[in-house]
Amino acid sequence: MVAKVKFAEYIIMMTSKEAAHSFYNQSLEELSHTLHESGFKQKSADEIFRLVYKRFNPNFEAVDTLSRRTIDFISNHYRFDLPKIVKVQNADDNTVKFLVELADGNQVESVLIPFAKKYTICLSSQVGCAMKCSFCFTGLQGLKRNLEASEIIGQYIVAYKWLRENRPEKIASPNIVFMGQGEPLHNFDQVKKAIEIFLTTEGLHLGFRQITLSTAGYLPGLERFSELPNINLALSLHSPIDEDRNKLIPLNKRYSLEKLFEKLDQIKLLKRQFITYEYLLIKDLNDRDEDITLLNKWLGQRRAIINIIPFNEFPGAPYKRPLTSKVNEFKTKLERLGLTVKVRTTKGSDILAACGQLNTLQSKTL
Ligand code: SF4
């Protein structure tokens, strides 16, 4: 029957099955188990995963190695719909911001950021965010809901497909940073599952070093960090002083720097692996000599890279960006103390795609 319908109709038919689960919520192991339990060959799961994730083509008619019964079973049990890109904004520096609509009408943003010969994609993990950081657009929305693994993976797939179609010269699989909307450790289980699927050899086959999770310091999630593969970790530090960090990241009132570093020290790092400390540099707030001294106190003896991000002012922002000369001076002083420091070039600032500037409400109105 399926062979007689056109591919587009076939996809619609497959995506409209009410009882079906999103295929993108299934790990290979789970799919394999489901097939086995239902009397199918377990190894068909590998074939199906390759088709869906390597070719981005859930048209199982395209391969002749799957039986008719297997195809019908998969078609009846799973949906293959992806989030819809409803708006694309291109920045002058080739950063691309996507406004993506989920099945329930909620919207999140993801951003493709060019680095050297490839792209990194910044993924959202929640609709809105509960952390209410004072410098962050997203924090203004509050938390609406967690994303499912399928919605996290869906953001990656639609952006990657867009890349293949629109920038075919840069189609290597993008690296991932969980630095979009939401606190990824506050949605631990779904983020964990998405990472597991991203790493699957028969699927997207990313390396664990291609994935970075950035947290504001959500301690209950950090306590579970060792459950994840050895992906990279970034902490939004932003101040070495509790009093100031409380203002920037209210979460710090519950999980102070002392508690945070105690937990971070328990995370096992691989050889040559570091924790990245994001440091949003804000004029007259955290760019003083006192901050340099205390940064050295916290990070001097730790395997740390400090990533300075000069604050991006947005309409109504409560903070100011320091002058470039001040940014450079801050960096040099830290380096003189022996710390490893990078200054992140702000990407996509003309479309508000920089750190802490993702907000679907705002992007519709700007
Ligand atoms: S900076 Fe991150 S953790 Fe803080 S409110 Fe924004 S999205 Fe949430």
Side-chain angles (χ1 to χ4, degrees), residues 126 128-140 179-184 215-216 236 238 248-249 355-356:
Q126 296 179 309
C129 182
M131 303 301 147
K132 299 197 183 322
C133 301
S134 60
F135 53 85
C136 174
F137 254 5
T138 309
L140 298 175
M179 215 178 266
Q181 290 167 293
E183 161 56 58
T215 176
S236 297
H238 305 332
L248 294 164
I249 306 175
C355 180

Short mmCIF file of all heavy atoms in Angstrom, two decimals, residues 126 128-140 179-184 215-216 236 238 248-249 355-356, ligand 1:
data_model
loop_
_atom_site.label_atom_id
_atom_site.label_comp_id
_atom_site.label_asym_id
_atom_site.label_seq_id
_atom_site.Cartn_x
_atom_site.Cartn_y
_atom_site.Cartn_z
N GLN A 126 14.57 23.96 27.25
CA GLN A 126 13.26 24.20 27.88
C GLN A 126 12.55 25.33 27.13
O GLN A 126 13.19 26.11 26.41
CB GLN A 126 13.46 24.66 29.34
CG GLN A 126 14.12 23.62 30.23
CD GLN A 126 14.32 24.11 31.66
OE1 GLN A 126 14.87 25.18 31.89
NE2 GLN A 126 13.88 23.31 32.63
N GLY A 128 11.30 28.66 27.77
CA GLY A 128 11.53 29.60 28.86
C GLY A 128 12.56 29.04 29.82
O GLY A 128 13.27 28.08 29.50
N CYS A 129 12.63 29.61 31.00
CA CYS A 129 13.61 29.14 31.98
C CYS A 129 13.20 29.63 33.37
O CYS A 129 12.68 30.72 33.52
CB CYS A 129 15.00 29.69 31.63
SG CYS A 129 16.28 29.10 32.75
N ALA A 130 13.46 28.77 34.36
CA ALA A 130 13.04 29.12 35.73
C ALA A 130 14.11 29.89 36.49
O ALA A 130 13.87 30.35 37.60
CB ALA A 130 12.72 27.82 36.48
N MET A 131 15.30 30.06 35.89
CA MET A 131 16.43 30.56 36.69
C MET A 131 16.47 32.08 36.85
O MET A 131 17.15 32.60 37.71
CB MET A 131 17.76 30.05 36.10
CG MET A 131 17.84 28.54 36.00
SD MET A 131 17.65 27.74 37.62
CE MET A 131 16.83 26.23 37.18
N LYS A 132 15.79 32.78 35.97
CA LYS A 132 15.61 34.23 36.11
C LYS A 132 16.90 35.03 36.24
O LYS A 132 16.98 35.99 37.05
CB LYS A 132 14.70 34.54 37.30
CG LYS A 132 13.31 33.94 37.16
CD LYS A 132 12.33 34.57 38.11
CE LYS A 132 10.95 33.96 38.07
NZ LYS A 132 10.41 33.56 36.80
N CYS A 133 17.92 34.66 35.50
CA CYS A 133 19.17 35.45 35.53
C CYS A 133 18.86 36.87 35.06
O CYS A 133 18.13 37.06 34.09
CB CYS A 133 20.22 34.80 34.65
SG CYS A 133 20.59 33.10 35.15
N SER A 134 19.45 37.83 35.75
CA SER A 134 19.02 39.22 35.53
C SER A 134 19.51 39.81 34.21
O SER A 134 19.02 40.84 33.79
CB SER A 134 19.50 40.09 36.69
OG SER A 134 20.91 40.04 36.75
N PHE A 135 20.48 39.14 33.57
CA PHE A 135 21.03 39.66 32.31
C PHE A 135 20.39 38.98 31.10
O PHE A 135 20.79 39.22 29.96
CB PHE A 135 22.55 39.40 32.26
CG PHE A 135 22.89 37.95 32.52
CD1 PHE A 135 22.88 37.02 31.49
CD2 PHE A 135 23.18 37.51 33.80
CE1 PHE A 135 23.16 35.69 31.72
CE2 PHE A 135 23.45 36.17 34.04
CZ PHE A 135 23.45 35.28 33.01
N CYS A 136 19.41 38.11 31.35
CA CYS A 136 19.00 37.19 30.29
C CYS A 136 17.58 37.45 29.80
O CYS A 136 16.64 37.52 30.59
CB CYS A 136 19.10 35.76 30.83
SG CYS A 136 18.48 34.53 29.70
N PHE A 137 17.47 37.57 28.51
CA PHE A 137 16.16 37.73 27.87
C PHE A 137 15.23 36.56 28.21
O PHE A 137 14.08 36.73 28.55
CB PHE A 137 16.35 37.72 26.35
CG PHE A 137 16.21 39.07 25.71
CD1 PHE A 137 16.02 40.22 26.45
CD2 PHE A 137 16.25 39.18 24.33
CE1 PHE A 137 15.89 41.45 25.84
CE2 PHE A 137 16.12 40.40 23.71
CZ PHE A 137 15.94 41.54 24.47
N THR A 138 15.78 35.35 28.07
CA THR A 138 14.97 34.14 28.26
C THR A 138 14.40 34.08 29.67
O THR A 138 13.26 33.67 29.87
CB THR A 138 15.82 32.88 28.00
OG1 THR A 138 16.45 33.03 26.75
CG2 THR A 138 14.98 31.63 28.00
N GLY A 139 15.22 34.50 30.64
CA GLY A 139 14.80 34.46 32.03
C GLY A 139 13.52 35.27 32.26
O GLY A 139 12.76 34.99 33.19
N LEU A 140 13.28 36.26 31.40
CA LEU A 140 12.09 37.09 31.56
C LEU A 140 10.80 36.29 31.36
O LEU A 140 9.75 36.65 31.87
CB LEU A 140 12.09 38.24 30.53
CG LEU A 140 13.23 39.25 30.59
CD1 LEU A 140 13.12 40.22 29.43
CD2 LEU A 140 13.20 40.01 31.92
N MET A 179 23.17 25.79 25.33
CA MET A 179 23.37 27.13 25.85
C MET A 179 22.23 28.03 25.38
O MET A 179 22.32 29.25 25.41
CB MET A 179 24.72 27.65 25.33
CG MET A 179 25.49 28.52 26.28
SD MET A 179 27.07 29.00 25.57
CE MET A 179 28.18 27.75 26.20
N GLY A 180 21.18 27.40 24.85
CA GLY A 180 20.05 28.18 24.37
C GLY A 180 19.09 28.45 25.51
O GLY A 180 19.50 28.65 26.66
N GLN A 181 17.79 28.43 25.19
CA GLN A 181 16.82 28.70 26.24
C GLN A 181 16.76 27.54 27.22
O GLN A 181 16.72 26.38 26.82
CB GLN A 181 15.46 28.92 25.61
CG GLN A 181 15.39 30.22 24.84
CD GLN A 181 14.17 30.30 23.96
OE1 GLN A 181 14.05 29.55 23.00
NE2 GLN A 181 13.28 31.19 24.28
N GLY A 182 16.73 27.89 28.50
CA GLY A 182 16.57 26.86 29.52
C GLY A 182 17.86 26.48 30.23
O GLY A 182 18.96 26.74 29.73
N GLU A 183 17.70 25.89 31.39
CA GLU A 183 18.83 25.35 32.15
C GLU A 183 18.84 23.84 31.90
O GLU A 183 17.95 23.12 32.39
CB GLU A 183 18.63 25.69 33.64
CG GLU A 183 19.44 24.86 34.63
CD GLU A 183 20.93 24.90 34.40
OE1 GLU A 183 21.52 25.98 34.41
OE2 GLU A 183 21.52 23.80 34.21
N PRO A 184 19.79 23.35 31.12
CA PRO A 184 19.73 21.93 30.72
C PRO A 184 19.73 20.95 31.89
O PRO A 184 19.10 19.90 31.81
CB PRO A 184 20.98 21.75 29.83
CG PRO A 184 21.80 22.98 30.00
CD PRO A 184 20.92 24.06 30.50
N THR A 215 25.78 25.24 32.27
CA THR A 215 24.82 25.36 33.38
C THR A 215 25.06 26.65 34.17
O THR A 215 26.17 27.14 34.25
CB THR A 215 24.95 24.15 34.34
OG1 THR A 215 24.06 24.34 35.45
CG2 THR A 215 26.36 23.97 34.87
N ALA A 216 23.97 27.13 34.76
CA ALA A 216 24.08 28.30 35.64
C ALA A 216 24.51 27.87 37.03
O ALA A 216 24.73 28.71 37.91
CB ALA A 216 22.74 29.02 35.70
N SER A 236 28.34 28.93 33.96
CA SER A 236 28.18 30.38 33.88
C SER A 236 28.57 30.95 35.23
O SER A 236 27.78 30.91 36.17
CB SER A 236 26.72 30.73 33.57
OG SER A 236 26.37 30.22 32.32
N HIS A 238 30.34 34.22 35.94
CA HIS A 238 29.95 35.64 35.86
C HIS A 238 30.37 36.52 37.03
O HIS A 238 30.40 37.74 36.88
CB HIS A 238 28.45 35.81 35.60
CG HIS A 238 27.96 35.08 34.38
ND1 HIS A 238 28.76 34.83 33.30
CD2 HIS A 238 26.74 34.56 34.08
CE1 HIS A 238 28.08 34.17 32.38
NE2 HIS A 238 26.85 33.99 32.83
N LEU A 248 23.17 38.47 39.69
CA LEU A 248 23.17 38.05 38.28
C LEU A 248 22.41 36.73 38.10
O LEU A 248 21.65 36.57 37.15
CB LEU A 248 24.61 37.88 37.79
CG LEU A 248 25.42 39.17 37.71
CD1 LEU A 248 26.91 38.87 37.60
CD2 LEU A 248 24.96 40.01 36.52
N ILE A 249 22.69 35.80 39.01
CA ILE A 249 22.08 34.46 38.92
C ILE A 249 21.43 34.16 40.27
O ILE A 249 22.09 33.69 41.20
CB ILE A 249 23.16 33.39 38.59
CG1 ILE A 249 23.94 33.77 37.33
CG2 ILE A 249 22.56 32.01 38.46
CD1 ILE A 249 25.09 32.85 36.99
N CYS A 355 24.71 35.00 23.76
CA CYS A 355 24.40 34.34 25.03
C CYS A 355 23.41 35.15 25.88
O CYS A 355 23.57 36.34 26.06
CB CYS A 355 25.70 34.18 25.79
SG CYS A 355 25.49 33.41 27.37
N GLY A 356 22.42 34.47 26.38
CA GLY A 356 21.44 35.12 27.25
C GLY A 356 20.49 36.05 26.51
O GLY A 356 19.81 36.86 27.11
S1 SF4 B 1 21.06 32.61 31.40
FE1 SF4 B 1 20.46 30.49 31.06
S2 SF4 B 1 19.95 29.74 33.12
FE2 SF4 B 1 19.92 31.98 33.24
S3 SF4 B 1 17.75 32.56 32.85
FE3 SF4 B 1 18.86 32.61 30.89
S4 SF4 B 1 18.50 30.60 29.97
FE4 SF4 B 1 18.04 30.44 32.17
#
